[in-house]
Amino acid sequence: MQAKLTINLDAICDNWRALDALSGANCETAAVIKADAYGLGAATVGPALAAAGVKRFFVAQAEEAVALRAALGPTPEIYNFSGLMAGDDEAVTKHGMIPVLNSAAQVTSFSKVHAGHPCGIQLDTGMNRLGMEALEVASVALDIAALKPDLIMSHLACADEPLHPMNAAQLAAFNAMSFALPASRKALSATGGILLGAPYHFNLTRPGIGLYGGMPFKNARPVVQLDLPVIQVRDVLPGEAVGYGAAWVATRPSKIATVSSGYADGVLRAANGISLYAGHTPCPVVGRISMDLITVDVTDLKDVPPSLSLLNATQTVDVLAQKAGTIGYEILTSLGSRYHRVYKGKNE
Ligand SMILES: *Cc1c(COP(=O)(O)O)cnc(C)c1O
């Protein structure tokens, strides 16, 4: 029996509306659904968001754009952050992908093959990851002018830290670099940037993690619930060990539940001090997390339920991430393929 991952589509759409409400009426809110909608299923999340009013979607690879087109139909715009790479031409011509061009080389090859088709331009304003710097923009200024980009964008490196000086520096750089460029719309902010306020919004924002209930969007509705079925419950005597490495030893007569999930399913072995929940009651995970199994101390429960939850409104992806030394994004995108996925909300 598989563990059950419940994904609340209504919560995702509510989170999109809440983020959209943070920017002005002349600023459109898109949706980033790269990496299979942060692991939650782009083929289902995409159409739900489109029904809620999202008109522009962002992915990270041409293959994702092609798959998303099949799920969304012809109308919504689909942008690809990695631009136009070798082999991506059909994604543009057949599937209407809008590449966000990242280099002079991409601008040149797009101009040769796809002139007349919409494109975006990514500027590097200090993150040094993707996008053109000022001199590179100048080297293809005529091409860019001829392409009339649909979108000029850049990305903030430190938007989750509102007081970080990089934010204002990147904002100034974006204003300076994009000033003279023709574009239908400009975009600088992901979830963190939306929360920084109006100067960061321009005409379009690109939230990802906030849609899926993660920080830095504190007011997000939780989106995922993960319930792990109990395979067996055993009695363990004081002095007996549980799991690999005999890393946990009982100090009292204990009841240990073994549940179905493990690091192969994205439950990070490094996670420390996590609990599984019987309703609202936390039960500590004891012993090592193994590939398919997790052992839980349920001694203090009166009745052991058929399943215990790992993710819920109390133990969110961010709580779990903190205990594993990572971020909510990594918890979400690591959720494995062995879960029975159930979508809750108006689309199902
Ligand atoms: C992933 C990504 C986003 C979305 O970021 P969140 O922090 O998840 O909101 C936006 N823009 C770019 C360029 C990205 O790579």
Side-chain angles (χ1 to χ4, degrees):
M1 184 183 177
Q2 290 175 302
K4 184 166 99 175
L5 178 64
T6 309
I7 297 159
N8 188 333
L9 296 170
D10 288 341
I12 294 176
C13 293
D14 280 351
N15 289 333
W16 177 76
R17 286 186 204 97
L19 288 164
D20 185 44
L22 294 177
S23 58
N26 55 353
C27 177
E28 180 179 336
T29 302
V32 178
I33 60 172
K34 62 190 178 188
D36 202 22
Y38 291 44
L40 300 185
T44 310
V45 171
L49 282 168
V54 177
K55 296 184 173 60
R56 287 165 212 281
F57 292 87
F58 286 86
V59 294
Q61 295 173 359
E63 290 76 8
E64 293 183 318
V66 171
L68 185 58
R69 177 61 71 205
L72 288 179
T75 309
E77 304 290 10
I78 302 174
Y79 297 82
N80 173 22
F81 287 134
S82 60
L84 186 75
M85 297 171 69
D88 291 352
D89 290 316
E90 272 206 358
V92 176
T93 55
K94 275 202 175 160
H95 306 279
M97 175 183 87
I98 304 181
V100 182
L101 306 172
N102 290 300
S103 63
Q106 285 197 353
V107 169
T108 307
S109 58
F110 183 87
S111 299
K112 277 197 193 118
V113 186
H114 301 295
H117 189 284
C119 69
I121 299 284
Q122 175 146 217
L123 304 175
D124 179 69
T125 52
M127 191 173 183
N128 285 303
R129 193 180 64 167
L130 274 183
M132 286 181 269
E133 297 183 25
L135 280 178
E136 199 173 5
V137 172
S139 75
V140 286
L142 289 179
D143 283 329
I144 293 175
L147 290 173
K148 296 200 191 68
D150 179 83
L151 169 74
I152 301 274
M153 60 165 272
S154 188
H155 192 48
L156 296 167
C158 305
D160 58 337
E161 296 177 61
L163 300 178
H164 200 291
M166 272 294 272
N167 296 322
Q170 287 194 264
L171 176 61
F174 186 63
N175 274 315
M177 291 175 74
S178 65
F179 178 70
L181 293 175
S184 312
R185 52 187 71 72
K186 294 182 184 178
L188 180 60
S189 288
T191 303
I194 294 173
L195 302 171
L196 294 178
Y200 290 85
H201 295 163
F202 296 88
N203 321 98
L204 184 84
T205 59
R206 312 180 303 265
I209 192 71
L211 307 175
Y212 311 109
M215 288 293 280
F217 186 31
K218 280 200 289 294
N219 298 331
R221 275 185 71 182
V223 165
V224 288
Q225 162 100 19
L226 180 56
D227 296 299
L228 312 181
V230 176
I231 306 171
Q232 62 171 232
V233 181
R234 65 202 308 120
D235 293 312
V236 174
L237 294 173
E240 287 189 322
V242 171
Y244 282 122
W248 184 82
V249 178
T251 56
R252 60 172 178 166
S254 302
K255 244 191 310 172
I256 300 297
T258 302
V259 304
S260 177
S261 187
Y263 59 76
D265 305 293
V267 184
L268 302 180
R269 188 174 173 279
N272 226 323
I274 62 172
S275 294
L276 296 193
Y277 283 73
H280 294 291
T281 310
C283 309
V285 168
V286 295
R288 299 241 165 99
I289 291 169
S290 48
M291 188 183 291
D292 320 293
L293 299 169
I294 300 172
T295 39
V296 188
D297 185 349
V298 292
T299 312
D300 298 327
L301 288 184
K302 215 159 96 230
D303 299 300
V304 181
S307 69
L308 297 166
S309 75
L310 176 64
L311 289 170
N312 49 51
T314 307
Q315 187 161 269
T316 61
V317 288
D318 291 293
V319 171
L320 198 59
Q322 211 216 337
K323 294 188 166 162
T326 182
I327 52 178
Y329 299 71
E330 192 179 12
I331 298 294
L332 278 174
T333 55
S334 302
L335 292 171
S337 56
R338 288 198 291 187
Y339 296 130
H340 172 51
R341 284 153 186 260
V342 176
Y343 290 93
K344 223 167 76 177
K346 53 184 156 306
N347 274 50
E348 292 294 306

